[in-house]
Amino acid sequence: IINMSDLDLQGKRVLIREDLNVPVSNGVVTSDARLRASLPTIELALAKGAAVMVMSHLGRPTEGEYNSEFSMQPVVDYLAKALSCPVRLATDYLDGVEVAVGEVVVFENVRFNKGEKKNDEALSKKMAALCDVYVMDAFGTAHRAEASTNGVGLHAPIACAGPLLAQELEALGKALDNPARPLVAIVGGSKVSTKLTVLESLSGIVDQLVVGGGIANTFIAAAGHNVGKSLYEADLIDEAKRLVANAQSRGGDIPVPTDVVVAGEFSPTAAATLKAVNEVGDSDMIFDIGPDSAEALAKIIESAGTIVWNGPVGVFEFDQFGEGTKRIAQAIADSKAFSIAGGGDTLAAVDKYDIADKVSYISTGGGAFLEFLEGKELPAVAMLKQRGA
Ligand code: 3PG
């Protein structure tokens, strides 16, 4: 892979694909983590003397039409404040765009272009014709083979990885390809079905796999316990048993909580009751792991050489069901291991428990982070490898 940091960009037209897909409310960006992560790349291109164009998608608009709800304008407003150079929005750019050295032109949402999502070749070629160098820096969208993340790179004179993408790949590689052992992965979230391939892939490489949230409920049921009215997937019980057997055959395990926090309803004011896992009643819903289980998991985390965290272990949005996730977050924060966290809910937990500066690396990827954990090659990375060969 060619790296942007190694290239001479003086006077070059540089088109950077970032993942600036951030939540916007009333025209204002409400979480700027991805924007902050992209700034160093844009600043480096400017410092290298480039004429900089930046593009991204935002949300999932109907393709092929303008929709002000999904405009990049709020992102442009943010960048204009964060960067010390002129920043402007270009709504029509496919047939050519004026851009000077020292300024940043941000393209309107790439998903307003017909053919973006299906990686249309004619669209890709139009984008490629706008630049001398295409920089793929959008790790968060690297799992999508779309015109702005893949096709454009095949046709641009030069296609390279931006520093953020390179940094993400390095951190994930460090955690998964040659990790300091024991390697502990914590996979929470609501459903086994959405993370089955992640669990399968991780159970083959980690020393200890910890499951939490609704995912754990299916494992609790697989261990023969009543889960009452909890969210779980009956049709995946055999799959869960197979994953446990697989982990155990490698000398590891997928431990099931010994105590859980239950309630009779899903609501912010629901009363939390602590129960042993074998005492869950027919009308109970499991919303968190109990303190004994959290302590046991904290011990596992304490002894880890590498920690991969994706997904909370309880309904942490409600404080009474957040203690398990809080304890895990603290254990990760206290650990000397190389730790990496990724995925939307995970980052919300990292923020809520204020451990962002104690995690070794926080990924900007949601779906892309998961696909990396699944061991899949990301299409944008495959393209960069092809172009760098
Ligand atoms: C994300 O937020 O995961 C990325 O920006 C990709 O967005 P998408 O799932 O709409 O392709």
Side-chain angles (χ1 to χ4, degrees), residues 19 21 34 57 59-60 111 117 140-141 143-144 146 365-368:
D19 188 330
N21 178 28
R34 280 181 167 169
H57 73 290
R60 294 175 175 175
R111 286 188 181 165
K117 285 193 69 87
T141 327
H143 59 314
R144 303 283 184 223
E146 299 179 357

Side-chain angles (χ1 to χ4, degrees), residues 34 139-140 143-144 168 172 176 186-202 215 308-311 341-346 363-378:
R34 280 181 167 169
F139 175 75
H143 59 314
R144 303 283 184 223
E168 295 266 4
L172 275 156
L176 296 175
I186 303 134
V187 180
S190 54
K191 284 180 166 178
V192 173
S193 50
T194 55
K195 293 198 181 162
L196 192 58
T197 23
V198 173
L199 294 168
E200 257 165 14
S201 164
L202 288 178
I215 290 176
V308 176
W309 185 21
N310 172 260
D345 284 354
T346 318
S363 177
T364 54
F369 184 78
L370 289 178
E371 290 204 16
F372 196 102
L373 296 188
E374 286 171 13
K376 286 190 189 151
E377 174 141 83
L378 307 174

Side-chain angles (χ1 to χ4, degrees), residues 50-75:
V52 180
M53 295 165 279
V54 177
M55 63 176 169
S56 174
H57 73 290
L58 192 143
R60 294 175 175 175
T62 307
E63 202 187 276
E65 57 190 63
Y66 176 82
N67 179 340
S68 61
E69 197 189 322
F70 297 98
S71 170
M72 297 299 295
Q73 187 64 55
V75 170

Side-chain angles (χ1 to χ4, degrees), residues 152-386:
V152 57
L154 297 172
H155 301 289
I158 295 174
C160 64
L164 174 62
L165 180 75
Q167 186 186 312
E168 295 266 4
L169 296 177
E170 195 194 316
L172 275 156
K174 186 170 169 183
L176 296 175
D177 297 341
N178 195 12
R181 302 253 172 201
L183 168 58
V184 174
I186 303 134
V187 180
S190 54
K191 284 180 166 178
V192 173
S193 50
T194 55
K195 293 198 181 162
L196 192 58
T197 23
V198 173
L199 294 168
E200 257 165 14
S201 164
L202 288 178
S203 70
I205 57 169
V206 304
D207 299 295
Q208 188 89 42
L209 182 57
V210 172
V211 291
I215 290 176
N217 296 344
T218 301
F219 284 83
I220 292 172
H225 301 295
N226 184 14
V227 293
K229 287 200 295 182
S230 308
L231 173 73
Y232 85 112
E233 289 161 292
D235 54 331
L236 289 175
I237 286 182
D238 286 343
E239 201 67 39
K241 284 184 184 163
R242 200 176 54 73
L243 287 169
V244 173
N246 185 23
Q248 287 171 346
S249 74
R250 295 178 56 250
D253 197 9
I254 305 180
V256 157
T258 53
D259 57 347
V260 290
V261 179
V262 305
E265 55 166 1
F266 179 83
S267 103
T269 52
T273 308
L274 179 64
K275 290 197 173 179
V277 74
N278 56 11
E279 283 171 357
V280 173
D282 290 341
S283 58
D284 287 334
M285 285 184 264
I286 303 171
F287 288 144
D288 195 10
I289 56 174
D292 288 353
S293 307
E295 227 29 69
L297 297 186
K299 285 239 150 52
I300 291 173
I301 290 167
E302 232 167 71
S303 64
T306 307
I307 303 162
V308 176
W309 185 21
N310 172 260
V313 297
V315 184
F316 74 100
E317 303 89 305
F318 305 155
D319 286 344
Q320 70 275 39
F321 308 119
E323 290 299 315
T325 302
K326 185 180 183 180
R327 184 69 190 90
I328 298 241
Q330 271 167 358
I332 293 172
D334 293 342
S335 163
K336 300 227 171 341
F338 179 75
S339 56
I340 178 159
D345 284 354
T346 318
L347 301 200
V350 162
D351 280 347
K352 176 158 181 174
Y353 302 118
D354 201 17
I355 61 160
D357 53 3
K358 302 208 176 71
V359 181
S360 314
Y361 191 77
I362 297 182
S363 177
T364 54
F369 184 78
L370 289 178
E371 290 204 16
F372 196 102
L373 296 188
E374 286 171 13
K376 286 190 189 151
E377 174 141 83
L378 307 174
V381 176
M383 174 273 295
L384 290 172
K385 281 189 183 158
Q386 188 187 327

